[in-house]
Amino acid sequence: MQTADFAGISSSALLSRYRQLTHAPAPERNPAYWGSARGSNVIFFVLETMPARFLPSDGEMADLPNLRRLREKSFVGVQHYTTFPRTHEAVFSLLSSWYPSDVTRTFEEQHPDMKVPGLMAALSGGGYHTAIYSPMRRWHSLDEEMFQELGVQQQIYPPDALLPPESRQDLRAAWMRTRIARDLATLELMKRDLGDCLAEGHNFAAVFLPQISHLPYLDVAQNEPDIRKRARAILEIEDAWLGELLELLQQRHQLDNTVIVITGDHGIRTSEEDPHFIGGMIDEYSFHVPLLIYAPKVLHHSFTIPWLTSHIDVAPTVLDLLGVERGRDFEEGSPIWNADLAKRQTYFFAASVFGADGYYSDGRFCMRNLMSDSVYTSPDQHFQTEQIVAKNSADYDQVSRALARMTGLQQVAATHFSQADELRNRVFGSARAGD
């Protein structure tokens, strides 16, 4: 990690440096989309552990009528990727437009008083009712602290969401027994609150985080051995839940006044989830996820986005559609319709999970495995042993340096939004010492 290059400069200068390093597009208002959904409500429906391999954004959806219906007026991200293969960091990127922390300590641990500009903070400040709806609160999790730092006004859980601190085996058994019931209870709480907001004429931005598609799957496909077919059986249930939300909006004449984001938080991460999974790699099975952004006020047909996009691009897309200017002090992403994203260097972090990080640039994927100190390059986000580059090569130095600098930039950026001057000075002090 290299922080020395970024110490002591302003937030705006740091953002400029980020754009220089990654070739990220500068902000610009596209008149075809800016403010086209002004005044709309916002719903995020985040599909747990859902790789694009199970749900291709442009694939067949005959079994998923509500997703198919939304896709007809959606931006369709066919090359969309998460930033991190864990829900906490993935959702952070979706709502903040930041890459997450890639060190063992999350931003919430490092900066407990951080205030993160982003989608929820901007909409909360603009009069929206903002809320997260989750069926489970986990012991020793920093999810609640993260949502507070992101500016979410309410975190809604069913009454039995907090599992007791029993053994890991007991916890898992309890979670498996009650998973669908908790998801349904959370959905009902969300429908109640959205109904109240609509009745009172208040705009809302709500995030639904059901757990049904988390591995291991419930046996809803009658012992089907094919993991994709089992996933589709789960998706049929989630599609029906989505249908309940659409019905509520349609009854209140608000379906065309709502931007709806459908995406996966991440893909498969372990051989327990899929025996064919290979660890230690920045693989598309873990990072490539579906993305639909329903925007009926501006789209009358589906709009396929062919270039690579990231979770950091979702918040800027929604905020541009809404015409929101305030609270956008440090966006690392860009609206997904910006074709210049094809030229950007886009990152994938997983050092604390897989022992590897990577990025996409100039038509190829690059990865460094920290455990073996090996660098790979590939035209696809799938790496083989023969794609290891020599340690004395330009590629090895370039990939290693790019990943170290980006990790360091993120650490310094977070200090700019911490309220503790003492903490900021301590981090900058270590950076000047050549951390």
Side-chain angles (χ1 to χ4, degrees), residues 312-329:
I312 64 171
D313 302 318
V314 173
T317 301
V318 174
L319 290 171
D320 269 28
L321 288 170
L322 298 178
V324 174
E325 298 179 80
R326 60 179 293 173
R328 305 181 65 172
D329 304 327

Side-chain angles (χ1 to χ4, degrees), residues 211-229:
Q211 288 289 303
I212 187 175
S213 56
H214 198 297
L215 277 293
Y217 288 146
L218 296 168
D219 189 13
V220 299
Q222 299 181 343
N223 297 313
E224 169 61 55
D226 186 304
I227 189 172
R228 183 185 179 279
K229 291 180 180 179

Side-chain angles (χ1 to χ4, degrees), residues 125-142:
Y128 277 66
H129 172 70
T130 59
I132 299 290
Y133 294 85
S134 176
M136 188 171 68
R137 300 169 72 181
R138 292 172 291 178
W139 291 90
H140 308 302
S141 167
L142 290 169

Side-chain angles (χ1 to χ4, degrees), residues 393-407:
S393 68
D395 275 339
Y396 180 90
D397 291 339
Q398 178 182 345
V399 172
S400 300
R401 189 184 317 113
L403 290 169
R405 295 186 77 183
M406 191 61 204
T407 302

Side-chain angles (χ1 to χ4, degrees), residues 240-300:
W241 295 348
L242 174 63
E244 293 185 33
L245 294 173
L246 301 187
E247 182 179 5
L248 171 64
L249 294 170
Q250 193 154 17
Q251 287 175 350
R252 305 299 179 92
H253 307 290
Q254 288 295 305
L255 181 57
D256 288 342
N257 193 44
T258 304
V259 173
I260 303 176
V261 177
I262 311 290
T263 191
D265 54 355
H266 53 74
I268 298 295
R269 290 90 47 88
T270 69
S271 58
E272 182 182 17
E273 294 176 344
D274 184 345
H276 297 100
F277 177 81
I278 300 174
M281 298 289 181
I282 302 298
D283 194 88
E284 64 87 24
Y285 202 12
S286 301
F287 285 86
H288 187 193
V289 294
L291 177 69
L292 303 177
I293 300 181
Y294 175 73
K297 283 187 173 180
V298 64
L299 295 179
H300 302 292

Side-chain angles (χ1 to χ4, degrees), residues 78-96:
V78 295
Q79 291 294 325
H80 186 74
Y81 293 78
T82 188
T83 56
F84 202 98
R86 189 162 54 204
T87 304
H88 181 97
E89 288 84 352
V91 172
F92 174 85
S93 292
L94 281 172
L95 301 182
S96 68

Side-chain angles (χ1 to χ4, degrees), residues 313-422:
D313 302 318
V314 173
T317 301
V318 174
L319 290 171
D320 269 28
L321 288 170
L322 298 178
V324 174
E325 298 179 80
R326 60 179 293 173
R328 305 181 65 172
D329 304 327
F330 203 90
E331 287 182 347
E332 294 181 330
S334 300
I336 61 173
W337 52 73
N338 191 330
D340 286 339
L341 285 173
K343 306 171 187 175
R344 182 182 65 187
Q345 193 159 290
T346 303
Y347 285 79
F348 317 100
F349 292 116
S352 61
V353 179
F354 295 160
D357 293 321
Y359 63 83
Y360 170 86
S361 180
D362 294 328
R364 68 175 184 169
F365 291 87
C366 303
M367 178 186 74
R368 184 183 180 200
N369 184 297
L370 283 71
M371 295 180 287
S372 63
D373 192 21
S374 299
V375 167
Y376 301 67
T377 64
S378 171
D380 306 305
Q381 199 183 41
H382 185 72
F383 299 95
Q384 305 285 348
T385 303
E386 59 268 23
Q387 293 167 321
I388 296 176
V389 305
K391 286 193 176 180
N392 60 354
S393 68
D395 275 339
Y396 180 90
D397 291 339
Q398 178 182 345
V399 172
S400 300
R401 189 184 317 113
L403 290 169
R405 295 186 77 183
M406 191 61 204
T407 302
L409 187 149
Q410 289 305 110
Q411 291 301 309
V412 174
T415 68
H416 283 261
F417 299 92
S418 169
Q419 308 303 301
D421 289 336
E422 179 181 353

